[in-house]
Amino acid sequence: MMGMAGAGGARGGNGRAMIYGQSGATHRHFLFSTSFIILHSSFPSAYHSAMNIAAELQEKFHVAFGDRPRVFCAPGRVNLIGEHTDYNDGFVMPAAIDLSIYVAIAPRDDRLLTIISEGFDEAIEFNLDRPAPHGNGHWSDYVRGVAVELMQAGYKLRGANLLITSRLPTGAGLSSSAAVEVATALALLSVIDATMDRVALAKLYQRAENEYVGARVGIMDQFASANGRAGHALMLDCRSLDFRLLPLPANVRLVIANTMVKHSIANGEYNARRAECEAAARLLARRVAGVRALRDVTIADVERYRRDLPETVYHRARHVVSENERVQRAADALHQGDLPAFGKLMRQSHLSLRDDYEVSCEELDVMVEIAEKLPGCYGARMTGGGFGGCTVNLVEAAAVAAFTEELAARYQQATDRKPQIYVCAAADGAQEVQGDQATP
Ligand code: GAF
C-alpha cells in the first residue's frame, strides 16, 4: 500500500481520538495539519481545497525540479456494500471519497521517470527502456506497474519527473494504491497528449496490480477512483463493467471509522479467499449449467450442492452469492430512499463477512457493534478487503457530531486504540486540478 505523510492531519499524539472533517471548529477533538482537507459542505468545496493542495505541490515541484508541472488527483473509495464480490464477476456499490492522492508531472528530455514520494521522503529513478518485469514490494511498484502496462498497451511514454503527495490514510483499506495508479496513469498520458477510455484504464490498472504488483485484486477500487461522481454511489456490474450512479440522500453522511489495525491484502489471505471462490465456481459448474463464476450461482444452488463443497468453500460461496443479492436489494432501497432497509443490509453484509468469509477482526466487529447502537446510525459494516482497516457508517447528518464523538470514545475504551474518523462526502473521480488558479 502506498504510504505517504500528511494523511488528513493524522498527527495529534495527545492521547485523544482524532475526528476529521466535521463542521464546527470548536469541536474539542478537532486536530489537523496545515494540509488538512476540510470535507464538510459548510466549508469551501472539495475542489477548492484540491486546488490549494495542487498549488502547494506545484511550488514544491518547482523547488525540486525547476519546472511548472500539471497536477492530477485521484480519490480513495469507500464501499457501501458488495464486499469480495468484484473478483467473482459480481456487484459492488462503492463511492469515491474526498480524500485523494495528487501527482504532479512535467516531461523530461530523456527516458527516465524520476518519482519523489513526499510521504516516503524518497526519490527513485526508472528507465522506461529497461523496465523490471515485476514489482519488488516497493511503494513505487504501483507507479512503475502503470507505466509498464501503458507501454504494453502501445503508448509511447516519455521521460518525466513526478512528485506524489497524499491526503488519503494508508493501510486503512481506502484504496490508496488504486488512487496512486489512477492519478499516475492520467499524469503519464498527459505528457504525451494521450487519453484513454476510463473503462479501458480501469482494466489496465487492474492488470498493473495483478501482474506487476502481484495482488490479485478485483476492479472495484480503481473503477471507483476513476469514475466516482460527487453525491453518488456507483452500482457497478463487475462482469460487464456497466454502472449506474445512485444519488445519496442529502440528509446522510458517510462516516468512515479507522480501527487503526493495519489492513493489508498482501499477506496471502486475500489471494486465498479468491482461490476458494474459484474452487467453489469450478465445483458448482459440474452441477449447474453456465457457471463461469460465483456470479452465476443462486443461494438455492449453493444449498442444494452443499455436499459437493468442502466446508470452508461452502461458507465462502454463501457469502459471495448472498452479498450479490444484498447489493441489488440495497440499490432498490437507496432508490426508494429507504435508509433503514439499506442499513439492515449493511448489517447482514458485515455478519456474512465476519462469519462466512472470515475477513473481519475483533476491532472491526467492536466498531460496528458500537456504531449500530448510536442514534442516527442507519447502518455500519466493515469496508474493503478486511483484516483491519475501516468501517463505513451511514449516519443522519444532524447526528454526525455526537455519533463521531461517542463512537471514538467508546471504541477507545473498548480496545485501547485511538481511532481516526473521517466524515466524508461522495466525490468526483480522478481529474486534473488547476493549482495555478488557486486562491491563497
Ligand atoms: C480490496 C480489493 F482491492 C478490491 O478489488 C475488492 O476485492 C475488495 O478488497 C473487497 O471487496 O479492496
Side-chain angles (χ1 to χ4, degrees), residues 77 79 82-87 217-221 265 270 384-385:
R77 65 95 189 92
N79 191 17
E83 219 64 83
H84 290 278
T85 45
D86 60 350
Y87 52 82
V217 295
I219 204 159
M220 167 172 73
D221 301 350
I265 56 171
Y270 184 93

Side-chain angles (χ1 to χ4, degrees), residues 167-184:
R167 297 296 182 275
L168 192 52
T170 57
L174 299 177
S175 299
S176 53
S177 50
V180 168
E181 289 162 354
V182 173
T184 299

Side-chain angles (χ1 to χ4, degrees), residues 118-440:
E118 269 210 314
F120 285 107
D121 197 16
E122 191 184 8
I124 65 132
E125 243 173 34
F126 161 51
N127 188 326
L128 288 170
D129 293 329
R130 284 194 293 280
H134 299 291
N136 57 9
H138 193 257
W139 60 262
S140 59
D141 286 356
Y142 299 100
V143 178
R144 289 185 294 144
V146 164
V148 165
E149 289 299 333
L150 282 171
M151 290 191 291
Q152 276 176 12
Y155 288 89
K156 304 232 172 309
L157 296 186
R158 61 180 291 188
N161 294 321
L162 288 84
L163 175 60
I164 304 178
T165 194
S166 174
R167 297 296 182 275
L168 192 52
T170 57
L174 299 177
S175 299
S176 53
S177 50
V180 168
E181 289 162 354
V182 173
T184 299
L186 296 189
L188 292 176
L189 288 170
S190 76
V191 293
I192 57 167
D193 284 329
T195 54
M196 194 173 170
D197 160 55
R198 286 191 169 218
V199 171
L201 263 176
K203 289 183 182 165
L204 183 136
Y205 307 134
Q206 193 189 12
R207 277 201 305 280
E209 198 144 342
N210 288 179
E211 280 156 36
Y212 197 86
V213 178
R216 297 188 65 214
V217 295
I219 204 159
M220 167 172 73
D221 301 350
Q222 293 89 345
F223 200 95
S225 180
N227 297 292
R229 181 76 63 83
H232 293 76
L234 299 179
M235 164 78 169
L236 172 66
D237 176 337
C238 297
R239 174 170 279 167
S240 66
L241 297 187
D242 289 338
F243 71 96
R244 265 192 300 146
L245 290 169
L246 302 173
L248 291 168
N251 61 320
V252 290
R253 298 288 175 270
L254 302 178
V255 179
I256 300 173
N258 190 344
T259 59
M260 305 308 281
V261 175
K262 219 49 176 170
H263 147 96
S264 167
I265 56 171
N267 64 7
E269 289 290 340
Y270 184 93
N271 288 354
R273 293 298 180 285
R274 189 166 175 161
E276 285 160 351
C277 291
E278 286 162 0
R282 256 194 326 272
L283 290 167
L284 290 166
R286 294 182 189 162
R287 300 289 199 167
V288 185
V291 172
R292 282 157 50 203
L294 283 179
R295 150 73 173 271
D296 304 309
V297 171
T298 64
I299 276 291
D301 295 331
V302 175
E303 296 303 341
R304 189 172 309 124
Y305 301 113
R306 177 175 182 165
R307 268 186 285 162
D308 291 5
L309 306 176
E311 188 64 11
T312 305
V313 170
Y314 159 75
H315 285 284
R316 305 303 188 236
R318 190 165 72 166
H319 164 70
V320 172
V321 175
S322 62
E323 184 79 350
N324 270 334
E325 281 184 20
R326 281 188 287 274
V327 183
Q328 294 172 82
R329 280 161 51 205
D332 292 342
L334 204 53
H335 185 67
Q336 288 155 15
D338 189 347
L339 294 174
F342 194 96
K344 269 189 203 139
L345 292 162
M346 288 174 80
R347 176 175 174 72
Q348 288 165 15
S349 168
H350 184 79
L351 296 180
S352 177
L353 287 158
R354 186 189 72 184
D355 300 336
D356 274 344
Y357 218 64
E358 296 183 284
V359 291
S360 187
C361 65
E362 211 181 313
E363 290 83 354
L364 284 166
D365 296 341
V366 167
M367 192 76 94
V368 167
E369 276 160 32
I370 297 170
E372 283 176 336
K373 296 191 186 86
L374 294 175
C377 179
Y378 289 107
R381 58 180 285 279
M382 58 154 276
T383 187
F387 307 108
C390 293
T391 66
V392 57
N393 305 270
L394 207 58
V395 182
E396 186 66 42
V400 160
F403 174 84
T404 51
E405 189 157 353
E406 271 304 301
L407 181 61
R410 292 192 198 183
Y411 176 79
Q412 188 167 349
Q413 201 172 33
T415 63
D416 222 16
R417 287 177 188 268
K418 278 176 291 175
Q420 289 181 357
I421 300 189
Y422 324 104
V423 182
C424 286
D428 282 329
Q431 58 192 299
E432 182 165 8
V433 190
Q434 307 293 343
D436 282 324
Q437 294 161 20
T439 50

